[in-house]
Amino acid sequence: MPMSLYNTPQGILLRPFSLADSESLLALRLTNRESHAPYEPLHGDSFFTLEEQQEYIRQKLRQAEEDRGYSFGIFLLGDERLIGYISISNLVRGMGQFADIGYMMDRHEQGKGHMTAALKLAIQFAFRALSLHRLQAGTLLHNERSQRVLQKCGFQPEGIARKLVQIQGIWQDHRMFGLLAEDNVWQTWTATQSAQSHI
């Protein structure tokens, strides 16, 4: 299954991580450690090591082999600098055919449209290549930036999931969003919005 996804007008590339990306992933996490901490689970110092990032990548590769989840680094075209990542996780087959979607963008690259473009590519991959029926995402109630990205991509708010995930060691409510394969918004994106996505 071809796995490189491009949006040439936006200047981004999505591809699965390889172990060769370990140092870039570590640098991304260290650069954003403080700014992203309010939105993430607690991470000890050992998480921010090359060994842990290598193990993270190995885990993601195993999940893809087992059809349990797919993770992509978000890279700028040209120098292929890593600026974020996006994951399709907790994939359910059988009667469900749905998965969770989550993402992270370097604080220096936010507000440039990269995350919206990357999410659109991931959505098309999920519905076309993986044949999923539904994608869902949860955000902290005050994370309006993330909510705007989801809504730009057609996700609809579906209510509050109480104390869904531990963030910074505290069980926190999340606003839930959903997108269905039959929602026609993602099927109407122009070729330039999802240009050259090799799915």
Side-chain angles (χ1 to χ4, degrees):
M1 180 187 298
M3 297 281 283
S4 293
L5 316 175
Y6 297 81
N7 185 314
T8 304
Q10 186 63 36
I12 63 166
L13 157 70
L14 271 64
R15 63 167 174 78
F17 284 118
S18 72
L19 287 176
D21 298 312
S22 301
E23 291 186 0
S24 296
L25 181 56
L26 176 59
L28 179 70
R29 293 200 193 278
L30 288 172
T31 299
N32 293 276
R33 181 175 182 176
E34 184 175 345
S35 60
H36 284 60
Y39 306 99
E40 295 192 352
L42 283 174
H43 295 301
D45 290 341
S46 63
F47 179 76
F48 297 93
T49 63
L50 185 60
E51 294 75 16
E52 283 297 311
Q53 299 313 306
Q54 291 171 338
E55 179 53 34
Y56 171 87
I57 291 174
R58 290 190 190 97
Q59 178 184 17
K60 296 303 180 182
L61 292 173
R62 287 194 298 269
Q63 289 176 356
E65 290 175 358
E66 298 167 359
D67 192 37
R68 295 189 293 117
Y70 297 84
S71 295
F72 298 89
I74 305 169
F75 300 86
L76 292 179
L77 288 176
D79 61 1
E80 283 209 24
R81 179 165 58 88
L82 179 66
I83 61 170
Y85 54 81
I86 188 163
S87 296
I88 300 167
S89 59
N90 301 321
L91 198 151
V92 175
R93 290 299 190 184
M95 295 178 64
Q97 301 295 338
F98 66 87
D100 297 322
I101 196 159
Y103 43 81
M104 176 269 191
M105 178 62 61
D106 185 348
R107 60 190 175 91
H108 300 295
E109 297 295 335
Q110 293 178 356
K112 300 180 181 180
H114 296 324
M115 194 69 257
T116 299
L119 181 56
K120 286 181 175 180
L121 289 174
I123 289 167
Q124 291 184 318
F125 174 78
F127 288 147
R128 288 181 176 159
L130 301 181
S131 300
L132 293 180
H133 172 251
R134 170 184 166 86
L135 290 171
Q136 57 193 31
T139 75
L140 290 170
L141 302 187
H142 63 275
N143 192 350
E144 296 179 357
R145 181 189 293 269
S146 184
Q147 293 166 19
R148 285 196 298 271
V149 169
L150 289 167
Q151 291 179 306
K152 283 180 185 178
C153 294
F155 281 79
Q156 298 182 23
E158 296 182 333
I160 306 300
R162 297 180 301 151
K163 298 185 177 182
L164 179 67
V165 177
Q166 276 194 342
I167 302 296
Q168 289 299 291
I170 301 172
W171 291 104
Q172 299 211 34
D173 296 348
H174 280 62
R175 190 176 304 280
M176 300 304 297
F177 293 82
L179 179 66
L180 304 179
E182 57 259 41
D183 292 338
N184 63 6
V185 59
W186 69 273
Q187 301 178 45
T188 62
W189 294 332
T190 65
T192 56
Q193 288 175 309
S194 58
Q196 302 164 31
S197 54
H198 299 165
I199 300 173

